[in-house]
Amino acid sequence: MAARVDRLVTAGVFTLDGGSWDVENNVWIVGDDHEAVVIDAAHDAEAIETALGGRTLRAIVCTHAHNDHIDAAPALAAATGAPVLLHPDDLPLWRLTHPGRAPDGELADGQTLTVGGVGLTVLHTPGHAPGAVCLYAPALATVFTGDTLFRGGPGATGRSYSDFPTIVDSIAKRLLTLPPETAVRPGHGDATAIGEESPHLEEWIQRGH
């Protein structure tokens, strides 16, 4: 399989609801030696462009529109000519960071993006944000989960535009139904696997009651 997954960690600040937090983000680059897509252009457009290594960037895919996942997207788009893609339900969050610059295209549930001979299927997984999506690449046995699912549980739902029962429902119906060996590559922190997280579903459900 010529396609591969590269991980770049960038650092910056997450801001929402009047608070700010120092964060490190995973920027996932999926493709082959000739072309790639970037999943979540976080903090440092120059570093992301360098990591591409001269490959053609086909798209900048946003798993959701919290500022720490999209702050470098317009600059990376300007440098590469790649379109920025976002689920439309996250436009209110996007406008908090980029009020004068709209995304270039929409992501839709069930849509497939192809790069380096590999298909990435968009799974709409609201809860952490209304337009949160995950990207499932069965050929790579991988799902890119943004801030929907991490090692140890669901993403945070304590701030605006989020809802805990919704994120648990999304995880149960859209992610835990994937093969257990599927690698989970989140927006922050270490990878895990569907089979490692699925036994904890009932515990998460009870947490919401």
Side-chain angles (χ1 to χ4, degrees), residues 1 3-5 30-32 35 37 39 61 110-123 134-144:
M1 178 71 66
R4 65 183 188 273
V5 177
V30 186
D32 58 17
E35 63 179 6
V37 298
I39 300 172
V61 184
Q111 173 185 358
T112 298
L113 308 172
T114 302
V115 64
V118 169
L120 299 168
T121 299
V122 177
L123 308 176
C134 299
L135 296 143
Y136 176 44
L140 299 174
T142 291
V143 61
F144 301 92

Side-chain angles (χ1 to χ4, degrees), residues 40-188:
D40 289 344
H43 307 307
D44 192 335
E46 186 175 344
I48 299 169
E49 188 177 5
T50 298
L52 285 166
R55 290 179 283 175
T56 300
L57 184 58
R58 297 299 183 191
I60 301 162
V61 184
C62 307
T63 61
H64 62 295
H66 285 150
N67 76 289
D68 57 318
H69 291 256
I70 63 167
D71 50 3
L76 185 61
T80 61
V84 179
L85 307 179
L86 177 75
H87 192 285
D89 287 358
D90 254 25
L91 282 172
L93 279 166
W94 172 275
R95 294 184 185 115
L96 295 176
T97 302
H98 302 300
R101 204 281 194 197
D104 301 299
E106 296 184 351
L107 296 171
D109 186 58
Q111 173 185 358
T112 298
L113 308 172
T114 302
V115 64
V118 169
L120 299 168
T121 299
V122 177
L123 308 176
H124 183 209
T125 53
H128 180 72
V133 301
C134 299
L135 296 143
Y136 176 44
L140 299 174
T142 291
V143 61
F144 301 92
T145 56
D147 286 3
T148 295
L149 179 62
F150 294 102
R151 174 180 291 278
T157 54
R159 303 185 184 101
S160 296
Y161 301 98
S162 65
D163 182 73
F164 186 80
T166 301
I167 198 172
V168 171
D169 189 61
S170 291
I171 292 169
K173 293 179 178 177
R174 308 309 305 276
L175 299 181
L176 300 187
T177 53
L178 300 177
E181 65 273 14
T182 304
V184 173
R185 302 182 193 265
H188 309 271

